Amino acid sequence: MNPQAKLISISALLLGTTITISSSHWMMAWTGLEINTLAILPLISNPHHPRAIEAATKYFLVQAAASTLLLFSSTTNALFTGQWDITQLTHPTSCLLLTTTISIKMGLVPFH
C-alpha cells in the first residue's frame, strides 16, 4: 500500500472515531462508525492474499449487519420515546438491541 493511501486510511479512522465520540444524534454516530468500517477495509486487505480479502469481506458483512441493527435500535427508540438523542435511550428493547450492536462492533466474546 502506498504511503498516501495509508495516511488517508488512518486519517479517516481518526475522523470516524472523532465523529462517533462527539455525536449526540444517532445518525452522526452511525456515520462515524461507517467511516471507520470503510477506512479499515483497505488496511485489512493490504497483503493482497486471498485470505486477507476473505477476512475483509467477512468483516464488512458482519459490520454491515451490526450497522443495520444500530439503525433499527435508534428507529425503535425514536418510535417509542419520540427522541433521536443518544442520551434518551430509555426503552428496554432499544437498549438490548444497542447493547448487542455495540458488542458486535467491538467484537466482544460471544460475537468475535
Side-chain angles (χ1 to χ4, degrees), residues 34-107:
E34 287 303 306
I35 289 172
N36 278 343
T37 299
L38 293 176
I40 199 77
L41 287 174
L43 296 174
I44 292 174
S45 63
N46 186 18
H48 297 298
H49 190 269
R51 290 189 186 191
I53 303 299
E54 179 186 2
T57 304
K58 287 179 182 178
Y59 178 81
F60 176 75
L61 291 174
V62 169
Q63 294 298 315
S67 292
T68 304
L69 272 176
L70 177 75
L71 290 174
F72 182 66
S73 170
S74 62
T75 303
T76 304
N77 186 52
L79 178 70
F80 289 123
T81 64
Q83 297 287 329
W84 281 95
D85 292 336
I86 290 177
T87 58
Q88 299 295 324
L89 187 67
T90 56
H91 195 266
T93 304
S94 298
C95 284
L96 180 67
L97 284 172
L98 182 71
T99 303
T100 305
T101 299
I102 297 300
S103 298
I104 292 170
K105 285 221 167 261
M106 287 175 43

